[in-house]
Amino acid sequence: MEDSTARILLERELRNAREFAESIIDTVRDPLLVLDREFRVISANRRFYQFFQVKPEETLGKLLYALGNQQWDIPRLRELLETVLPQNTKFEDFEVEHEFPGIGRKVLLLNARRLYREKNKTQKILLAMEDITELKRSTTELKDKEQQLYQLQKLESIGLLAGGIAHDFNNLLTAINGHAELAAQSLENSHPLYDDIDAILQAGRKAEKLTQQLLAFSRKQIYNPKTIDINEVITSANKMLRRLIGEDIKIETFLQSDIPAIKADPIQIEQILINLVVNARDAVNARTERALEKSIIIETEQTYLDESYTAKHLGSQSGLHVLFSVSDNGIGMNEETKQRIFEPFFTTKEIGKGTGMGLSTVYGIVKQNHGAIYVYSEPGKGTTVKIYWPAAPGQAIADTEQSAAADTTVGTESILLVEDDEAVLNFSANLLTRLGYTVHKARNGKAAIGIVKSQNLRIDLLITDVIMPEMNGKQLAEKLQEICPQVKTLYTSGYSNNHIVHSGVLEEGINFIHKPYTVHTFAQSVREVLDKT
């Protein structure tokens, strides 16, 4: 017989000690792992399983780097365990960011310690992980808000300075211009000093415009809307805009004659133009192609927004509008950037190169005057900003718009409609079908050609978006012309007509209608193209 009492008591104490240690580890709120010298998992606490959404059978005995189908093979963690830890008894507060299966991207603060019985012979490794994802996010948001506050304070300081200078300078100009005007009135035109005094007066009036711009920037000027011709404002601002963009950028204006007057503060219109042109300049200068002709285009035209349009575009109102747009052939924007461009302080420019307030200011002015603003852009294709400004009360609709609004032209021809945006495709197809046309739809150029060939169709009119993947609108029109020589083509795009022409995508004289279009405008354009001889 052998007395096993002491051994049994010792085993019981060891078991109790192990259970006590495990209960303590399980109460720790951070995930914990115990690894052997080969970095295999010996044990893990309850929080580890909860946090990483894994089971014990998927963890215990597994090599750490192979957990979750090797999703734990994090280069930084491997470096810490295999390089840093052997040189030290521990490492503390090392930050690691990683995409984990099931729980997404997390930022962890890692702490590890070597546990050993004999000197310099590691027995086990204790690895603790603290989730600081939300802390990092909050810290980043706090820094962003601090930066925004700094920007606000900076703008406020600059505004106060500009307003103070403009105020004092206006007092000086009152005296200078007043005396010059009195002197000019008292002299005959033939007097030797008359031309000198007139030159002083002209320079003083230019200085008045400069102080008005300073006051507009500092928001110290009283908002003073009046009935104006926007073409005249753009024409008078042309020299200033050319100085802003530099000599290597071509700026063109296409101003429709006899457009309705609008009610607006001319200073605010100038402010809009400056902001849009400066943005366009920076976008164009960001292009690196040597052969690229840098181009900015300013356009105006009249348009009528009906209820079918306003129902699909929240914030707009029906009625006669003046559309003015600024287009460039710069680097363009992706969808994510477009969603944020009107947010205050949002900018894609380098630190110190932009405040992020330009488009926010433009948006505020447009909305203040009950207008609407839309942006069309694609990476590498340029940008067009369109502003719809309500016509001044009492303005008549031109004959072309009256006929478009009063008479929705119908037809029975066969139309091939090609558009990669499904919502636009369905809307346009439904509209054309209601008007009596036979419509064939396609999402891209290859599909369109396939439909025509497989069904042996005779197409009277091709309506196609200009910019599409794989085959653009012009390439599609050329291929379709080989199959249906009689076919006519109407191009559509979110970019301005002249912008596309001067970007080299289309030729002048081509049939074109820009998005967004109204029901009446679209129907009229379709009918006009079909009726051309």
Side-chain angles (χ1 to χ4, degrees):
M1 292 184 293
E2 180 183 352
D3 185 1
S4 302
T5 306
R7 180 175 58 80
I8 293 173
L9 290 174
L10 180 59
E11 289 176 352
R12 185 179 298 169
E13 288 178 9
L14 287 173
R15 186 169 57 252
N16 291 339
R18 184 173 62 250
E19 291 174 354
F20 178 68
E22 290 176 351
S23 66
I24 293 176
I25 291 175
D26 276 340
T27 61
V28 177
R29 300 185 65 179
D30 295 325
L32 291 176
L33 280 179
V34 180
L35 310 174
D36 65 15
R37 286 177 293 183
E38 303 299 327
F39 309 120
R40 296 186 182 277
V41 179
I42 298 174
S43 65
N45 69 344
R46 185 181 295 115
R47 178 58 179 154
F48 176 87
Y49 297 124
Q50 293 172 343
F51 183 80
F52 291 103
Q53 298 180 10
V54 293
K55 299 176 181 179
E57 56 268 25
E58 300 171 331
T59 306
L60 299 179
K62 303 286 186 181
L63 185 66
L64 175 64
Y65 305 140
L67 292 182
N69 293 323
Q70 302 194 9
Q71 294 296 325
W72 271 80
D73 194 5
I74 309 167
R76 182 57 171 155
L77 178 59
R78 184 184 284 268
E79 178 189 358
L80 290 170
L81 290 174
E82 297 181 7
T83 305
V84 176
L85 192 59
Q87 306 300 323
N88 303 276
T89 58
K90 62 181 179 179
F91 62 75
E92 294 180 336
D93 296 340
F94 277 91
E95 190 176 298
V96 169
E97 184 173 354
H98 188 67
E99 185 79 24
F100 292 97
I103 62 172
R105 183 163 292 274
K106 296 293 181 181
V107 183
L108 302 177
L109 204 61
L110 302 181
N111 291 271
R113 181 180 295 272
R114 285 191 294 159
L115 307 175
Y116 48 84
R117 292 177 181 173
E118 301 177 15
K119 188 176 182 180
N120 296 329
K121 190 174 181 181
T122 302
Q123 185 71 21
K124 295 177 182 177
I125 298 170
L126 180 63
L127 179 63
M129 293 156 276
E130 180 183 356
D131 178 22
I132 59 169
T133 308
E134 289 302 313
L135 177 62
K136 290 285 291 185
R137 184 186 61 79
S138 300
T139 303
T140 302
E141 289 180 355
L142 180 59
K143 288 181 179 179
D144 290 343
K145 288 180 180 178
E146 288 176 350
Q147 182 63 24
Q148 290 180 15
L149 179 60
Y150 168 75
Q151 289 282 59
L152 279 172
Q153 291 172 337
K154 183 174 72 173
L155 288 172
E156 186 67 22
S157 299
I158 295 173
L160 289 172
L161 177 63
I165 292 173
H167 178 267
D168 292 342
F169 198 49
N170 269 341
N171 288 338
L172 294 172
L173 284 175
T174 301
I176 294 171
N177 291 354
H179 286 297
E181 192 170 357
L182 288 174
Q185 290 175 356
S186 64
L187 297 176
E188 297 291 336
N189 291 359
S190 58
H191 193 280
L193 294 177
Y194 182 85
D195 288 341
D196 293 330
I197 292 174
D198 185 62
I200 294 172
L201 190 56
Q202 295 302 321
R205 286 170 179 164
K206 288 182 180 179
E208 281 184 28
K209 291 184 178 180
L210 176 61
T211 57
Q212 287 172 357
Q213 291 171 0
L214 286 172
L215 287 170
F217 172 76
S218 62
R219 301 180 186 179
K220 299 293 183 182
Q221 189 177 34
I222 298 174
Y223 175 61
N224 185 24
K226 57 185 73 173
T227 301
I228 62 171
D229 181 347
I230 192 172
N231 286 349
E232 292 180 0
V233 177
I234 295 173
T235 302
S236 64
N238 207 285
K239 281 187 178 180
M240 175 184 62
L241 296 176
R242 290 182 188 276
R243 288 197 300 270
L244 282 174
I245 65 172
E247 296 180 357
D248 62 330
I249 300 177
K250 183 180 180 181
I251 184 169
E252 298 177 276
T253 55
F254 298 89
L255 311 179
Q256 181 181 315
S257 59
D258 301 325
I259 61 174
I262 62 172
K263 192 167 186 180
D265 189 327
I267 300 300
Q268 287 192 328
I269 298 297
E270 285 187 2
Q271 191 175 6
I272 290 174
L273 284 169
I274 290 170
N275 282 321
L276 294 183
V277 168
V278 167
N279 276 354
R281 176 200 67 190
D282 294 342
V284 168
N285 283 333
R287 294 284 289 267
T288 57
E289 301 92 326
R290 291 185 178 181
L292 176 73
E293 182 185 32
K294 300 177 180 180
S295 174
I296 298 175
I297 296 170
I298 302 173
E299 299 177 89
T300 63
E301 62 180 87
Q302 75 165 354
T303 187
Y304 186 87
L305 304 183
D306 57 19
E307 292 182 358
S308 65
Y309 174 86
T310 58
K312 293 181 173 63
H313 297 82
L314 298 179
S316 58
Q317 59 182 27
S318 60
L320 186 63
H321 285 69
V322 169
L323 166 63
F324 69 99
S325 60
V326 175
S327 306
D328 65 71
N329 61 345
I331 57 174
M333 295 178 286
N334 57 29
E335 191 62 34
E336 182 180 355
T337 301
K338 281 196 296 181
Q339 294 298 323
R340 300 190 60 192
I341 54 174
F342 296 128
E343 294 180 13
F345 307 109
F346 176 74
T347 178
T348 58
K349 299 173 185 176
E350 296 177 16
I351 296 175
K353 296 287 182 72
T355 63
M357 289 296 293
L359 282 175
S360 299
T361 303
V362 171
Y363 181 85
I365 293 174
V366 172
K367 291 300 181 182
Q368 183 182 23
N369 289 273
H370 310 292
I373 181 169
Y374 300 99
V375 177
Y376 303 88
S377 186
E378 287 186 34
K381 302 293 186 182
T383 299
T384 295
V385 180
K386 294 183 177 182
I387 295 173
Y388 294 82
W389 201 286
Q395 295 294 308
I397 306 176
D399 292 341
T400 55
E401 284 293 328
Q402 283 179 331
S403 61
D407 177 32
T408 301
T409 309
V410 297
T412 57
E413 290 89 343
S414 178
I415 295 177
L416 177 61
L417 180 63
V418 187
E419 169 65 58
D420 59 348
D421 186 301
E422 187 173 3
V424 176
L425 178 67
N426 291 335
F427 162 72
S428 303
N430 290 338
L431 171 59
L432 292 169
T433 301
R434 290 183 184 183
L435 295 174
Y437 298 103
T438 300
V439 181
H440 306 277
K441 299 190 299 182
R443 291 287 297 273
N444 56 64
K446 288 185 178 180
I449 296 297
I451 290 172
V452 173
K453 287 183 175 179
S454 64
Q455 300 182 30
N456 195 24
L457 298 176
R458 184 189 184 281
I459 301 297
D460 299 300
L461 176 64
L462 166 67
I463 303 176
T464 177
D465 194 13
V466 176
I467 300 173
M468 296 184 295
E470 297 185 17
M471 183 188 298
N472 64 38
K474 187 177 181 182
Q475 292 168 335
L476 170 60
E478 291 171 350
K479 286 186 177 294
L480 186 61
Q481 195 85 33
E482 298 173 1
I483 306 171
C484 304
Q486 79 289 345
V487 71
K488 298 175 181 178
T489 303
L490 173 61
Y491 293 97
T492 71
S493 179
Y495 302 92
S496 72
N497 189 2
N498 290 303
H499 172 56
I500 292 174
V501 169
H502 289 270
S503 292
V505 179
L506 296 179
E507 302 165 1
E508 291 190 26
I510 211 148
N511 302 314
F512 179 87
I513 181 172
H514 58 70
K515 304 172 186 175
Y517 41 69
T518 66
V519 170
H520 300 297
T521 304
F522 184 54
Q524 185 74 10
S525 297
V526 170
R527 193 65 260 163
E528 286 177 356
V529 174
L530 285 168
D531 291 341
K532 279 185 178 180
T533 55

